[in-house]
Amino acid sequence: MAETVWSTDTGEAVYRSRDPVRNLRLRVHLQRITSSNFLHYQPAAELRKDLIDLATFRPQPTASGHRPEEDEEEEIVIGWQEKLFSQFEVDLYQNETACQSPLDYQYRQEILKLENSGGKKNRRIFTYTDSDRYTNLEEHCQRMTTAASEVPSFLVERMANVRRRRQDRRGMEGGILKSRIVTWEPSEEFVRNNHVINTPLQTMHIMADLGPYKKLGYKKYEHVLCTLKVDSNGVITVKPDFTGLKGPYRIETEGEKQELWKYTIDNVSPHAQPEEEERERRVFKDLYGRHKEYLSSLVGTDFEMTVPGALRLFVNGEVVSAQGYEYDNLYVHFFVELPTAHWSSPAFQQLSGVTQTCTTKSLGMDKVAHFSYPFTFEAFFLHEDESSDALPEWPVLYCEVLSLDFWQRYRVEGYGAVVLPATPGPSWNRAPFGKGCGVCWTVWKGSASRVPFTMC
């Protein structure tokens, strides 16, 4: 006989969804494979005429202990974090003394309501949600490899107690976190939780009770059919993957009566209706429009457009220092001279400035006065002749270095002038300053040719 086409890929599959995870629906189909219905998977050509079909010996449903049809097969649709009780939980929580936590009492009330309404609808398929103890134990005791002699490493031991699910929110009082910003004596748990990438995660397990007929409710017969994990970024991890076009998954039970079960997992989440899609589209459009208006309000609308055909020059500069002068208490008086032809500046624009008086400090053999005085100005150039020979004259920056003596008298220490660079970037390598913006310079004693500038 040809074997059934089983799906052996039981690894994880990762999906990303922008829709709320509460809309997720899974259809789980579980079936026990017997000798008769196993032949339904075989091609008809494989059966020889001299063989007797084993379906002839299939036991008929009777009241003498044979499995009924509903015990052989079960199909159910499960939502995200939907709690389906197993027979073990039903028997456990019916006893009030077994309830310890508020969640146990809540499960007890739900089970009593189910019993009054006719009992639970599921038989073998049930779920463990993110709040159940099984999920905590599963994450704590899971193995990293498939090796039988696995030895946990140092990292595995440290990561074992890191809870990656549903992080509790810290309390706020007056907009300030209760927790301290600096913890001088951190505990071991505090170090683990704050030095590991810890994305909030929710977990759900879809289980099956594969015990013998009329012997459901034993832990040893529980098997995991599917594990789902969803984090706060909308990433959904499914293990094993949805069946789709692949073959069903198989489970072989252990013990004296080994049985073969097959199951499939399909994503049957409902598609959004056209009305809902249109409503969502309008909501997003309104949201993006409000966000655009908010950004526009931050930037403002008072923008001044440049006249067509005009050049607008913005200069952001800084007087960095003065070096090599004889006297102390230095300051710099500077101004910008615009060419008379075709250049102009706004009426409110100041094209001159005076730095503060600065005491010098010894730097090697020289005395240096550090000003760090910023300045800015703008100018316009408008000329209709765009030929290559009609190059404009460029503004010139003049500076005057003065000192103040003990008798409050002013002395002129030197002059300097330089044409503003026409392109950004460093224009003098001797300038003792680093990365800046605008025009920066250090004034040296001597001729104007020794005044270094940098356009950044």
Side-chain angles (χ1 to χ4, degrees):
M1 295 183 183
E3 294 185 357
T4 307
V5 181
W6 301 102
S7 178
T8 58
D9 185 9
T10 57
E12 293 183 348
V14 180
Y15 300 90
R16 183 182 293 273
S17 175
R18 295 185 300 176
D19 295 334
V21 69
R22 64 176 179 269
N23 297 331
L24 180 64
R25 295 292 183 274
L26 300 181
R27 182 176 62 229
V28 182
H29 180 267
L30 178 67
Q31 183 179 2
R32 175 176 174 267
I33 303 299
T34 61
S35 57
S36 57
N37 55 24
F38 182 76
L39 294 178
H40 294 170
Y41 292 94
Q42 316 308 323
E46 297 292 335
L47 296 176
R48 294 171 52 187
K49 295 182 180 180
D50 56 346
L51 295 178
I52 301 177
D53 190 356
L54 291 179
T56 308
F57 304 100
R58 181 178 183 180
Q60 299 300 322
T62 62
S64 58
H66 292 292
R67 292 176 182 262
E69 289 291 341
E70 59 269 14
D71 190 69
E72 298 280 348
E73 185 175 359
E74 184 177 2
E75 181 175 299
I76 192 169
V77 176
I78 304 173
W80 171 249
Q81 295 297 336
E82 179 181 354
K83 179 60 180 177
L84 299 179
F85 295 100
S86 64
Q87 188 61 42
F88 174 81
E89 292 175 315
V90 171
D91 299 337
L92 175 65
Y93 293 124
Q94 283 182 347
N95 185 6
E96 188 174 0
T97 58
C99 300
Q100 300 177 358
S101 64
L103 182 63
D104 296 342
Y105 285 99
Q106 178 184 345
Y107 284 170
R108 170 178 166 79
Q109 297 299 326
E110 295 179 4
I111 290 174
L112 293 179
K113 290 181 180 179
L114 288 175
E115 293 295 330
N116 295 333
S117 61
K120 60 187 183 71
K121 305 302 180 182
N122 59 305
R123 298 181 306 277
R124 293 185 177 273
I125 300 176
F126 62 97
T127 61
Y128 284 129
T129 62
D130 189 71
S131 304
D132 291 328
R133 288 189 294 267
Y134 176 86
T135 306
N136 299 335
L137 296 176
E138 172 69 18
E139 292 183 355
H140 180 75
C141 303
Q142 62 183 352
R143 302 175 66 86
M144 299 291 106
T145 65
T146 57
S149 58
E150 175 185 342
V151 178
S153 63
F154 175 79
L155 179 60
V156 172
E157 293 178 353
R158 293 300 182 185
M159 290 287 292
N161 295 326
V162 176
R163 181 175 174 82
R164 297 188 64 237
R165 303 185 298 108
R166 295 195 309 171
Q167 303 301 306
D168 296 331
R169 296 183 179 180
R170 298 178 180 177
M172 301 285 289
E173 288 185 357
I176 303 176
L177 288 173
K178 289 183 179 179
S179 60
R180 292 170 296 179
I181 298 178
V182 179
T183 303
W184 298 106
E185 297 180 358
S187 61
E188 185 178 355
E189 182 180 1
F190 178 85
V191 173
R192 284 199 303 266
N193 294 337
N194 288 273
H195 288 76
V196 178
I197 298 177
N198 198 7
T199 306
L201 195 70
Q202 284 188 312
T203 308
M204 177 180 179
H205 299 277
I206 301 177
M207 311 290 292
D209 188 346
L210 305 183
Y213 177 55
K214 292 186 177 181
K215 292 185 179 180
L216 302 181
Y218 292 90
K219 282 286 186 178
K220 61 180 180 179
Y221 296 125
E222 292 183 1
H223 293 267
V224 179
L225 301 182
C226 181
T227 301
L228 295 95
K229 298 179 181 179
V230 179
D231 65 10
S232 58
N233 299 321
V235 178
I236 303 175
T237 305
V238 184
K239 181 181 180 181
D241 192 9
F242 302 129
T243 305
L245 300 178
K246 301 181 295 184
Y249 299 103
R250 62 185 294 170
I251 298 178
E252 295 183 10
T253 60
E254 300 178 355
E256 297 180 358
K257 295 183 179 181
Q258 294 185 355
E259 293 183 337
L260 180 63
W261 295 80
K262 76 178 182 82
Y263 69 95
T264 58
I265 306 169
D266 297 310
N267 181 14
V268 292
S269 302
H271 296 284
Q273 299 297 327
E275 297 80 7
E276 296 179 355
E277 293 181 353
E278 181 63 25
R279 184 168 58 253
E280 183 179 6
R281 192 179 299 109
R282 289 197 302 267
V283 170
F284 277 112
K285 183 178 180 180
D286 182 67
L287 176 63
Y288 294 149
R290 292 178 180 272
H291 186 64
K292 182 179 179 180
E293 293 177 359
Y294 171 71
L295 294 179
S296 299
S297 64
L298 294 179
V299 176
T301 57
D302 299 332
F303 289 99
E304 197 176 331
M305 301 301 296
T306 305
V307 179
L311 170 66
R312 191 170 187 179
L313 176 65
F314 291 91
V315 178
N316 295 319
E318 179 184 7
V319 182
V320 178
S321 61
Q323 178 177 342
Y325 292 92
E326 181 178 358
Y327 295 100
D328 202 353
N329 298 326
L330 300 176
Y331 68 95
V332 178
H333 179 209
F334 61 92
F335 65 93
V336 179
E337 182 186 26
L338 298 178
T340 56
H342 312 296
W343 281 93
S344 63
S345 62
F348 60 86
Q349 180 70 67
Q350 292 185 357
L351 298 179
S352 63
V354 181
T355 67
Q356 74 278 11
T357 302
C358 184
T359 303
T360 60
K361 292 185 178 180
S362 298
L363 182 63
M365 300 297 294
D366 295 330
K367 293 183 178 181
V368 182
H370 298 279
F371 299 106
S372 300
Y373 182 86
F375 65 92
T376 180
F377 70 89
E378 59 179 295
F380 300 93
F381 174 78
L382 180 60
H383 189 32
E384 298 179 355
D385 189 1
E386 298 181 358
S387 61
S388 59
D389 297 333
L391 296 178
E393 298 182 38
W394 210 248
V396 180
L397 183 62
Y398 296 93
C399 66
E400 179 185 16
V401 181
L402 302 98
S403 63
L404 184 65
D405 64 5
F406 178 78
W407 301 100
Q408 299 298 313
R409 294 179 299 183
Y410 299 96
R411 293 186 296 259
V412 177
E413 302 292 340
Y415 299 94
V418 66
V419 178
L420 293 179
T423 57
S427 60
W428 195 283
N429 295 331
R430 293 182 59 186
F433 40 78
K435 299 179 180 178
C437 293
V439 178
C440 311
W441 86 82
T442 297
V443 182
W444 299 70
K445 182 178 180 180
S447 63
S449 61
R450 294 189 60 193
V451 180
F453 286 84
T454 293
M455 279 285 280
C456 304

